[in-house]
């Protein structure tokens, strides 16, 4: 250092001695920035640091560039020592970690600065998100969902990382309905108002429906996100059953009534109205047993002579909004022969060879059928009371000979002339009536004829 006097000094002699001048290094304060990542990820936010204390016109950037080198140590990251890989794993999310900086000054910066303080940053590990998908569940319309099927499948858990297995979740999150850690809502369940009306589930086509869940459970390294499962409502089954009916030949109204009312419906669910369901199904029964509204078909027989049946065809709508409809049992109609009694009569007058024959029925025929007298012959039974009494005379004595007349031929036919006999269970009786001969009594010029007739009340057969 050189010193000069600007004035002369007269009083004394001035002596100057040389000295040293020292410039001390400026002090730098380094602060490591905070960093963060998600549990299981090595994608930390960039490592940085800031400095203060730069002087003499030096900028922060020039001080860093001229130069400072930094080596960072993150206590929240660990090396997988087991496999000796350099892959970075993050520590637990609840740990308190630091980002440490090891700084070395070089070049011009090293000449003029020294580190006074080195403050580490925070290394934060945020929780990862694990997705727990609830089970898909299903039920039948009108049947409550099986809450025992609620829960989740460990194999469907998504988001596990850092080498964690599903037991990290399953050991902490109990999916059991009612007593576990998940509160369930099934949007396929009937609402409170619907339940008061007898409903159990929503309708089949009203969805989509879901099994949803929430939980307050927390995991050490994960946030839990519960994904909804599907809740499917399948159609219920309605079963139709048509009965077996036996009606008398010719009773078309009875057969039609059987067809109109003969199919029952079972399986209604969810508080539905049965009459409304039957209306929707549109049941219509037909059978060849019924020719038209006024006539039945003929009685049907098997080869062994026993009665056979006509089938009933049931037409219906096999699919409703909430039901599949099926015919569980087909029905039949059996026509039984109509029981009638035919009484044949032979009427004679005592001593006269003339005979009058009549054919009478106590019950009208049906289906337009009529009695046919084609080929009909009648005669007294050879071993009957009439023949015994006649004893070779022209007639037997006056009187009524019950069931003493036998017949052959004739029959019952349809309107078109075809045979209808098999449709009737016929009881045939033949009676013989012998009326007394008239007796004329003369007294002088007066003659009086006395007649006595055998009379009985009969019903003539209607054609």
């Amino acid at each position: 250092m050189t010193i000069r006097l600007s004035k002369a000094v007269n009083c004394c002699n001035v002596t100057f001695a040389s000295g040293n001048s020292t410039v001390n290094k400026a002090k730098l304060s380094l602060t490591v920035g905070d960093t963060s990542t998600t549990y299981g990820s090595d994608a930390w936010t960039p490592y940085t640091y800031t400095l203060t204390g730069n002087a003499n016109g030096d900028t922060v950037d020039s001080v860093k560039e001229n130069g400072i080198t930094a080596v960072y140590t993150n206590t929240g990251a660990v090396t997988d020592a087991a496999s000796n890989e350099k892959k970075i794993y993050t520590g637990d999310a609840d740990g308190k970690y630091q980002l440490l900086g090891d700084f070395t000054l070089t070049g011009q910066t090293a000449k003029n600065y020294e580190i006074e303080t080195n403050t580490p940053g925070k290394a934060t590990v945020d929780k990862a998100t694990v997705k727990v998908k609830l089970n898909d569940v299903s039920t039948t319309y009108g049947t409550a969902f099986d809450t025992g099927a609620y829960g989740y499948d460990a194999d469907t858990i998504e988001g596990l990382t850092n080498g964690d297995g599903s037991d990290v979740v399953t050991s902490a999150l109990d999916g059991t309905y009612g007593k576990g850690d998940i509160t369930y809502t099934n949007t396929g369940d009937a609402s409170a108002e619907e339940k008061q009306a007898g409903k159990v589930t929503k309708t089949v086509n009203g969805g989509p429906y879901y099994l949803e869940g929430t939980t307050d459970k927390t995991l050490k390294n994960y946030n839990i996100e519960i994904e909804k499962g599907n809740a499917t409502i399948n159609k219920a089954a309605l079963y139709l059953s048509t009965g077996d009916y036996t009606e008398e030949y010719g009773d078309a109204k009875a057969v039609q009534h059987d067809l109109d009312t003969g199919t029952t419906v079972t399986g209604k669910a969810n508080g539905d109205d049965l009459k409304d369901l039957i209306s929707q199904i549109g049941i219509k029964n037909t059978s060849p047993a019924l020719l038209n509204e006024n006539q039945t078909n003929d009685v049907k027989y098997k080869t062994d002579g026993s009665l056979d049946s006509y089938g009933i065809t049931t037409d219906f709508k096999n699919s409703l909004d909430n039901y599949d409809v099926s015919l569980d049992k087909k029905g039949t109609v059996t026509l039984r022969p109509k029981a009638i009694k035919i009484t044949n009569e032979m009427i004679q007058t005592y001593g006269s060879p003339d005979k009058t024959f009549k054919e009478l029925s106590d019950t009208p025929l049906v289906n337009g059928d009529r009695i046919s007298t084609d080929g009909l012959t009648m005669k007294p039974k050879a071993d009957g009371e009439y023949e015994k009494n006649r004893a070779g005379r022209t007639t037997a004595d006056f009187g009524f000979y019950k069931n003493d007349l036998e017949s052959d031929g004739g029959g019952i036919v349809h309107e078109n002339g075809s045979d209808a006999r098999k449709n009737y269970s016929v009881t045939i009786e033949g009676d013989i009536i012998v009326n007394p001969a008239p007796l004329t009594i003369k007294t002088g010029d007066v003659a009086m004829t006395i007649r006595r007739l055998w009379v009985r009340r009969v019903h003539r057969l209607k054609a």
Side-chain angles (χ1 to χ4, degrees):
M1 176 182 289
T2 302
I3 300 176
R4 293 185 178 86
L5 291 179
S6 59
K7 268 180 154 180
V9 180
N10 297 320
C11 64
C12 54
N13 294 323
V14 179
T15 302
F16 294 95
S18 21
N20 296 321
S21 176
T22 302
V23 178
N24 295 320
K25 292 182 178 181
K27 305 293 185 180
L28 292 177
S29 293
L30 303 181
T31 302
V32 178
D34 295 337
T35 186
S36 66
T37 191
T38 301
Y39 175 74
S41 171
D42 60 1
W44 292 90
T45 55
Y47 293 172
T48 61
Y49 68 92
T50 60
L51 64 82
T52 58
N54 52 302
N56 211 28
D58 294 340
T59 65
V60 170
D61 289 340
S62 66
V63 171
K64 288 182 177 182
E65 293 170 359
N66 292 310
I68 301 176
T69 59
V71 176
Y72 294 100
T73 299
N74 188 336
T75 62
V78 294
T79 301
D80 184 6
S83 61
N84 200 30
E85 293 181 0
K86 298 302 180 183
K87 182 175 181 179
I88 300 300
Y89 287 75
T90 53
D92 291 339
D94 62 351
K96 296 180 179 179
Y97 306 108
Q98 290 182 317
L99 180 61
L100 306 174
D102 183 7
F103 298 101
T104 301
L105 304 184
T106 61
Q108 195 65 30
T109 298
K111 291 181 181 180
N112 297 316
Y113 295 93
E114 62 184 1
I115 298 173
E116 183 179 34
T117 61
N118 178 357
T119 304
K122 294 180 180 179
T124 302
V125 180
D126 297 320
K127 288 185 177 183
T129 297
V130 64
K131 294 182 179 181
V132 176
K133 183 186 178 302
L134 298 183
N135 296 335
D136 293 335
V137 293
S138 64
T139 191
T140 300
Y141 174 73
T143 300
F145 283 90
D146 178 12
T147 55
Y150 288 9
Y152 63 92
D153 186 347
D155 292 337
T156 65
I157 296 173
E158 297 180 356
L160 292 169
T161 186
N162 222 20
D164 292 339
S166 60
D167 60 312
V168 171
V169 178
T170 57
S171 62
L173 182 67
D174 183 357
T176 305
Y177 176 83
K179 61 180 182 180
D181 303 308
I182 300 175
T183 300
Y184 293 96
T185 300
N186 191 328
T187 62
D189 287 336
S191 66
E193 182 178 358
E194 289 169 334
K195 288 179 180 178
Q196 288 184 349
K199 303 294 183 184
V200 178
T201 66
K202 298 286 189 180
T203 60
V204 172
N205 297 325
Y209 305 114
Y210 300 101
L211 179 62
E212 300 171 345
T214 59
T215 184
D216 295 329
K217 195 73 174 181
T218 59
L219 301 180
K220 183 177 182 180
N221 294 314
Y222 296 95
N223 293 314
I224 301 174
E225 180 180 311
I226 295 183
E227 294 187 328
K228 59 190 176 186
N230 294 314
T232 302
I233 300 176
N234 298 311
K235 288 185 177 183
L238 287 177
Y239 298 100
L240 307 186
S241 178
T242 303
D244 298 319
Y245 301 93
T246 300
E247 301 295 351
E248 189 175 74
Y249 167 76
D251 195 348
K253 288 184 178 180
V255 174
Q256 186 63 66
H257 179 267
D258 294 337
L259 296 178
D260 291 341
T261 62
T263 299
T264 58
V265 179
T266 58
K268 83 175 185 70
N270 218 29
D272 290 342
D273 183 75
L274 182 59
K275 289 184 178 179
D276 180 57
L277 292 176
I278 291 174
S279 176
Q280 293 180 51
I281 295 169
I283 300 169
K284 182 178 176 64
N285 286 322
T286 57
S287 174
L290 188 67
L291 296 179
N292 54 56
E293 63 180 3
N294 297 315
Q295 291 180 308
T296 68
N297 210 329
D298 286 343
V299 176
K300 192 175 181 182
Y301 293 91
K302 298 178 181 178
T303 56
D304 62 2
S306 60
L307 292 177
D308 202 354
S309 301
Y310 291 96
I312 296 177
T313 299
T314 303
D315 293 320
F316 58 94
K317 187 177 181 181
N318 59 17
S319 180
L320 305 182
D321 288 343
N322 297 308
Y323 297 90
D324 286 322
V325 186
S326 62
L327 181 62
D328 197 38
K329 178 188 174 299
K330 294 182 178 181
T332 62
V333 175
T334 301
L335 297 176
R336 68 173 183 268
K338 182 177 179 63
I340 64 171
K341 178 181 176 182
I342 294 178
T343 302
N344 297 321
E345 280 187 350
M346 185 185 84
I347 302 174
Q348 278 185 299
T349 299
Y350 177 76
S352 171
D354 296 331
K355 301 179 180 69
T356 300
F357 295 97
K358 294 180 180 180
E359 192 166 32
L360 308 172
S361 172
D362 66 344
T363 304
L365 302 185
V366 293
N367 265 12
D369 299 339
R370 58 183 174 83
I371 295 290
S372 171
T373 58
D374 292 344
L376 176 62
T377 61
M378 300 182 191
K379 62 179 181 179
K381 293 180 180 178
D383 57 351
E385 290 301 318
Y386 176 87
E387 285 297 332
K388 291 178 181 178
N389 182 275
R390 188 172 70 88
R393 295 177 294 166
T394 302
T395 68
D397 291 336
F398 160 78
F400 178 73
Y401 298 88
K402 184 172 178 60
N403 204 22
D404 225 18
L405 183 68
E406 63 183 8
S407 60
D408 188 26
I412 303 173
V413 296
H414 293 308
E415 289 178 308
N416 62 6
S418 60
D419 184 29
R421 175 64 177 80
K422 67 179 182 179
N423 299 312
Y424 296 89
S425 175
V426 182
T427 300
I428 299 177
E429 293 183 356
D431 299 331
I432 300 174
I433 299 173
V434 179
N435 290 318
L439 177 64
T440 301
I441 301 174
K442 288 184 179 182
T443 304
D445 294 330
V446 178
M448 181 177 60
T449 301
I450 301 174
R451 297 178 183 274
R452 182 181 177 190
L453 299 177
W454 186 279
V455 180
R456 73 170 179 176
R457 187 184 182 97
V458 298
H459 297 280
R460 292 190 177 274
L461 181 68
K462 294 182 180 179

